[in-house]
Amino acid sequence: MKINFNNKKGEKENFKIELFIPLKLNNVQKQIILDEIYHLVKHSWGEFEKEFLEKHIFNSERLIIARNNSYLVGFCSMSKKNILDKVVHYIEFTVIHKDFQKSGLGTKLTYGVLRDLFFKNIFKIIFKPIEVMFITPNIRTLSRAARLAEFIYPNPFEADPITGEIFPADDETWAMAKKLVKDENPECILKRDGLVLSGFYLNMPWFIYNNFQIPWHSNDAFNKFVDRYLGYSKKDGKEFVVRAKFGIISLLKYYYHSMFLLFKIKKS
């Protein structure tokens, strides 16, 4: 599948998107993809152990990658977990090359994974939305998900526009988030108010946003919300644990948004 985007210079870019089932990849394919992912993560985020990436990516349920002129410029991996008797699709990573981080490619890859999941479970999600969880420090990522989800917590759209405050997580969401953190990052501290996670970057301070890296949003109310809970200005290195539900309405919203962006690009 090929898609077109404008890069930061406004130039047309062609991307080749490929979806894989990691367990079906052979050793040669895994090694090639792992090397490419390692260098992309290092360039976009910072140093990360190959063993960690290998474990989480190749034990995942789905892996989608994007190439530009044969170079890997983005990927997203998703695994399936059982959390408190619920089937949850956990987005392990969404990493985009710095040159394309505002192009919408991250959203396209994330929903490429989810869309494949939707179509393979189309009759089920008519009656019951799919549960998705992920961990992110990025308000832009969270806000994009919130626009499409039928339910999401924390939800920046529900934040007080003056204080940035939201209500604490409901009992079920809180219990699920605690279980996820216990399984994934047991040494971290999770707070119910905003589902704020801290402690993951204690040994990796280079991952904490510097002033020029902070992904501020165009919506000032969202910035008040994220600065209140994650401490962008203080460089606290905190993250949100996010629970979302995506169903048929989410899919329709996604296609409407995609067609709207396509219309804008053609018009320009």
Side-chain angles (χ1 to χ4, degrees), residues 62-80:
R62 286 173 170 83
L63 171 66
I64 191 169
I65 66 174
R67 296 185 186 278
N68 176 248
N69 295 325
S70 77
Y71 291 101
L72 186 74
V73 294
F75 77 95
C76 175
S77 65
M78 182 179 68
S79 60
K80 185 163 66 175

Side-chain angles (χ1 to χ4, degrees), residues 88-151:
V88 174
H89 299 276
Y90 175 55
I91 299 175
E92 300 266 5
F93 294 98
T94 301
V95 182
I96 305 299
H97 190 285
K98 289 181 179 180
D99 290 345
F100 307 104
Q101 286 182 356
K102 293 184 180 180
S103 68
L105 181 58
T107 302
K108 194 76 175 182
L109 292 181
T110 301
Y111 278 89
V113 169
L114 290 173
R115 183 177 57 188
D116 182 69
L117 183 67
F118 287 159
F119 285 131
K120 290 183 178 178
N121 296 273
I122 189 69
F123 296 109
K124 293 180 181 178
I125 65 174
I126 291 174
F127 304 101
K128 185 177 181 181
I130 290 173
E131 293 268 3
V132 176
M133 296 187 75
F134 58 95
I135 299 174
T136 183
N138 193 317
I139 182 58
R140 294 198 294 255
T141 298
L142 177 61
S143 65
R144 290 188 192 108
R147 288 192 190 100
L148 302 176
E150 295 184 9
F151 163 86

Side-chain angles (χ1 to χ4, degrees), residues 157-216:
F157 288 96
E158 295 180 351
D160 185 287
I162 304 300
T163 66
E165 187 177 6
I166 59 173
F167 290 107
D170 62 85
D171 291 344
E172 184 177 61
T173 301
W174 171 234
M176 292 175 68
K178 286 194 296 182
K179 182 64 169 65
L180 177 67
V181 171
K182 182 179 179 181
D183 292 343
E184 294 292 318
N185 304 293
E187 73 284 357
C188 294
I189 298 172
L190 180 66
K191 292 185 178 180
R192 183 167 184 167
D193 187 17
L195 290 186
V196 175
L197 185 71
S198 59
F200 182 70
Y201 298 121
L202 287 178
N203 298 320
M204 296 179 290
W206 57 89
F207 280 116
I208 298 174
Y209 291 132
N210 294 318
N211 289 333
F212 66 90
Q213 295 175 317
I214 295 175
W216 293 114

